[in-house]
Amino acid sequence: MNDNNKSKKAISRRDFFKKIGATGIATTGLAACVNQDKNAISTSVTEIPTDRMTYRTSPTTGDKVSLLGFGMMRLPSVGGRSAREGNEDIDQEMVNELVDYAIAHGVNYFDTSPAYCRGKSEHATGIALNRHPRDKYFIATKLSNFSPTTWSREASIAMYRNSFKELQVDYLDYLLLHGVGMGGGMEEFENRYMKNGILDFLLEERKAGRIRNLGFSYHGDIKVFDYLLSRHDEYKWDFVQIQLNYLDWKYAKQINPLNTDAEYLYNELNQRKIPAIVMEPLLGGRLSNVPTNIVARLKQREPEMSVASWAFRFAGSLPGVHTVLSGMTRMEHLQDNLRTYAPLKILTKDDFTFLQDTATLMMQFDTIPCNDCKYCMPCPYGLDIPAILLHYNKCLNEGNIPESSQDANYRDARRAYLVGYDRSVPKLRQASHCIGCNQCSPHCPQRIDIPAELHRIDAYVERLKQELS
């Protein structure tokens, strides 16, 4: 990093702490769905309190919302995996158990979408939550009219009304325009919500009380984000959902020039006093599956805390953050997050600096910014795109990306990569089958050039196979 960048970084930190105070980040006020690696979860066996959850209060509705939000994007399947993977049905009994445990420990915000879990998340969420009194939880869902076949007024309204049916409710606590800025940027946003009159329709629904809070989730073209905020006086957004974590805080744009740093997104919302809902606090698991030297660094500072808890504390400590979403497939994910937020241990100034220095160290690893959201799926040629990219990242973090036969651990690393690749991704779904049709990249919230990455990985795999053992 050059001296100019260091100077900018230091100034930004001073501005940050001028706003929040030097003793710690205030917890008053307001501002995707995430896997956690088993090794990154706290092994603490201490009892989780049922009455210590940290809450934030909405300035518009007075909702007292749990700082931990349950993302219903990666619900468990009957086979024990996330229901986003394969064709297995959702394990409704396990979903019920997770929801019951979450509510018993103070979680009251549940986030779903017609697009999650192959279109089945809303239904499963409705079954699980309907077993509890309606005033015990807040439901957030989205108008996920991504496909041009759903851009008509009639199709979009039908999707919206179907959410009520699936969720078994007569009003929605939080409704989001889903993924604005993705795909075709401003033109696509206008087709999805403006030209068909859907945004006006939703504003009327809010006025009628069928939507209590109206907002949007943002990925992609910053022009759409800036435009919607410029109309805040007219639309009066109740909240906005953004991707925010300690790596994206300053490095999102460096990772991909088409992305926007979370610091900018957060500050734009905070100065307008628009509550922020945080998605991807773990970057799809990347901030729990960190390189071994980063694990050691985090553990040295807080031996009893999980690697993942650092990311959740970062997001939750920012003033103006309404709730932080986590897609929790297993009970240990939920329990670890409850230990982080019941109650929240607020980041100090030194903690914040420590995490920003940690992010700088992580930027030395050339990982692919895949969050395992699976918006790129299904591939028309059967590739398991996320599995290919995540296996590469995993091996990179573990030091199993051999570059030269002269590397000390070349033989072991080469074998670990190839054996792990075959175990993680069936041969017919590997990168060698990519023809470069590029049907995937326009749907990627991280703006990854997916065909280019797949071809790079395939060439690397072929080189490993051809070199003598």
Side-chain angles (χ1 to χ4, degrees):
M1 183 179 296
N2 60 40
D3 291 338
N4 288 337
N5 286 340
K6 287 181 180 178
S7 175
K8 289 178 182 178
K9 188 173 185 178
I11 292 170
S12 180
R13 285 181 184 169
R14 285 198 293 272
D15 292 343
F16 183 88
F17 285 106
K18 187 184 295 182
K19 181 189 301 180
I20 64 178
T23 58
I25 299 178
T27 57
T28 57
L30 282 176
C33 313
V34 185
N35 282 330
Q36 291 166 253
D37 185 82
K38 186 175 182 180
N39 295 325
I41 295 174
S42 173
T43 56
S44 173
V45 294
T46 57
E47 185 176 349
I48 301 171
T50 59
D51 60 349
R52 303 294 303 281
M53 174 56 64
T54 304
Y55 292 92
R56 300 282 167 83
T57 303
S58 166
T60 55
T61 60
D63 292 346
K64 187 180 178 183
V65 176
S66 58
L67 189 52
L68 175 60
F70 201 132
M72 314 298 279
M73 186 187 223
R74 293 180 169 92
L75 297 178
S77 72
V78 292
R81 302 182 298 172
S82 165
R84 301 189 74 200
E85 304 169 17
N87 295 309
E88 295 177 344
D89 291 333
I90 291 173
D91 186 340
Q92 187 66 54
E93 185 176 344
M94 180 54 68
V95 173
N96 293 351
E97 184 178 337
L98 289 167
V99 167
D100 292 350
Y101 193 91
I103 290 177
H105 289 80
V107 175
N108 63 8
Y109 189 96
F110 296 85
D111 171 89
T112 184
S113 157
Y116 292 169
C117 297
R118 295 174 289 115
K120 299 177 181 178
S121 174
E122 281 188 326
H123 184 73
T125 300
I127 291 173
L129 288 176
N130 194 48
R131 298 155 50 252
H132 296 269
R134 183 66 177 90
D135 62 357
K136 291 292 185 183
Y137 56 86
F138 301 111
I139 288 181
T141 194
K142 307 171 183 72
L143 186 53
S144 307
N145 56 348
F146 296 120
S147 170
T149 60
T150 61
W151 289 354
S152 72
R153 180 181 178 86
E154 295 74 20
S156 292
I157 291 177
M159 178 181 290
Y160 165 74
R161 288 180 173 154
N162 190 61
S163 292
F164 287 80
K165 175 185 175 183
E166 298 288 3
L167 293 167
Q168 304 181 47
V169 296
D170 54 13
Y171 66 90
L172 297 172
D173 298 290
Y174 294 79
L175 191 280
L176 299 87
L177 314 183
H178 195 181
V180 303
M182 288 176 61
M186 197 67 199
E187 181 180 359
E188 183 169 313
F189 169 77
E190 290 176 347
N191 286 329
R192 290 174 63 191
Y193 297 115
M194 304 293 283
K195 294 177 181 178
N196 54 14
I198 286 299
L199 180 52
D200 290 336
F201 168 79
L202 295 176
L203 291 169
E204 289 300 316
E205 288 291 283
R206 180 175 62 180
K207 190 179 298 183
R210 286 181 287 272
I211 298 171
R212 297 183 58 248
N213 296 274
L214 181 64
F216 61 89
S217 65
Y218 163 75
H219 278 296
D221 188 345
I222 192 60
K223 293 179 182 177
V224 184
F225 179 86
D226 290 340
Y227 169 77
L228 291 178
L229 292 195
S230 74
R231 304 285 295 274
H232 177 51
D233 289 343
E234 177 184 353
Y235 297 142
K236 294 179 169 54
W237 302 112
D238 296 296
F239 67 101
V240 173
Q241 187 166 304
I242 58 173
Q243 180 170 309
L244 185 152
N245 52 73
Y246 67 81
L247 188 61
D248 277 336
W249 186 252
K250 289 186 178 297
Y251 288 120
K253 195 169 186 65
Q254 186 171 326
I255 292 170
N256 189 319
L258 297 175
N259 290 337
T260 303
D261 290 345
E263 182 180 29
Y264 173 83
L265 303 177
Y266 167 78
N267 286 336
E268 288 297 300
L269 296 178
N270 203 46
Q271 71 181 22
R272 294 173 174 82
K273 302 188 185 315
I274 302 175
I277 291 177
V278 171
M279 57 183 165
E280 301 293 356
L282 286 183
L283 267 177
R286 288 167 58 208
L287 296 185
S288 59
N289 295 294
V290 296
T292 52
N293 67 321
I294 301 296
V295 173
R297 174 182 169 85
L298 297 175
K299 286 295 185 180
Q300 183 178 16
R301 189 174 179 92
E302 291 279 3
E304 298 302 315
M305 284 177 48
S306 70
V307 171
S309 68
W310 278 103
F312 283 107
R313 285 179 63 204
F314 178 87
S317 293
L318 292 165
V321 168
H322 194 24
T323 192
V324 181
L325 298 175
S326 176
M328 297 171 280
T329 306
R330 301 195 296 271
M331 184 62 75
E332 56 261 37
H333 298 159
L334 174 57
Q335 291 173 336
D336 188 52
N337 291 339
L338 287 169
R339 289 189 177 95
T340 300
Y341 286 138
L344 171 69
K345 182 181 178 182
I346 305 165
L347 288 182
T348 64
K349 177 180 180 179
D350 286 345
D351 289 333
F352 182 87
T353 301
F354 169 76
L355 280 182
Q356 286 302 286
D357 290 342
T358 300
T360 301
L361 289 173
M362 290 182 65
M363 287 299 293
Q364 298 172 8
F365 292 83
D366 190 24
T367 53
I368 301 168
C370 173
N371 292 354
D372 195 24
C373 69
K374 293 184 171 60
Y375 286 168
C376 58
M377 298 291 282
C379 167
Y381 295 91
L383 278 73
D384 190 340
I385 297 169
I388 296 166
L389 303 184
L390 294 176
H391 175 70
Y392 179 87
N393 285 346
K394 178 177 182 291
C395 289
L396 186 65
N397 289 340
E398 294 173 351
N400 290 325
I401 299 288
E403 292 296 335
S404 168
S405 58
Q406 304 304 311
D407 292 349
N409 69 332
Y410 176 76
R411 289 169 60 91
D412 290 341
R414 174 179 174 272
R415 183 178 186 280
Y417 190 97
L418 293 176
V419 172
Y421 189 41
D422 286 342
R423 287 176 178 172
S424 301
V425 189
K427 288 187 180 297
L428 291 177
R429 307 194 72 186
Q430 293 182 358
S432 57
H433 296 278
C434 175
I435 68 162
C437 69
N438 202 34
Q439 291 192 35
C440 45
S441 293
H443 303 290
C444 177
Q446 306 306 316
R447 324 293 283 278
I448 302 169
D449 185 345
I450 295 174
E453 294 291 0
L454 293 177
H455 292 158
R456 179 171 71 88
I457 290 172
D458 181 49
Y460 176 70
V461 169
E462 286 304 310
R463 178 164 68 82
L464 290 183
K465 288 178 178 179
Q466 291 172 14
E467 290 177 353
L468 294 175
S469 59

